[in-house]
Amino acid sequence: MSAVSRPPTGLPSPALLTELQRYGVSCVHCGVMLTMGAAVELGTRYHEVDAVTGRTAWYPRSCQDCHTERGAA
């Protein structure tokens, strides 16, 4: 992934992620498809979309390799 603006959590902005990354199906960092035993849960996050849409939840998960490289997000 190229240099992108990151929120204080160290995670990419949800606006830059695919739907599969936002819903925890793919790694939030590298995009690899995740299996139940190999995924690291990063906790439910909330993103302010706009005044009309409001706040949306997203569920980032990481693969073990990215989690180890980046440390706990």
Side-chain angles (χ1 to χ4, degrees):
M1 198 175 231
S2 62
V4 296
S5 62
R6 298 187 185 280
T9 62
L11 296 173
S13 168
L16 301 175
L17 300 175
T18 67
E19 187 173 348
L20 295 176
Q21 288 173 305
R22 287 191 304 272
Y23 288 101
V25 176
S26 298
C27 175
V28 71
H29 300 291
C30 72
V32 70
M33 294 295 280
L34 299 169
T35 60
M36 292 301 282
V40 178
E41 299 284 338
L42 301 176
T44 302
R45 309 294 171 120
Y46 296 94
H47 175 68
E48 290 290 331
V49 179
D50 57 44
V52 175
T53 308
R55 191 169 84 150
T56 61
W58 59 297
Y59 311 93
R61 297 192 316 159
S62 177
C63 67
Q64 288 290 342
D65 289 341
C66 287
H67 187 68
T68 300
E69 286 176 17
R70 290 168 174 77

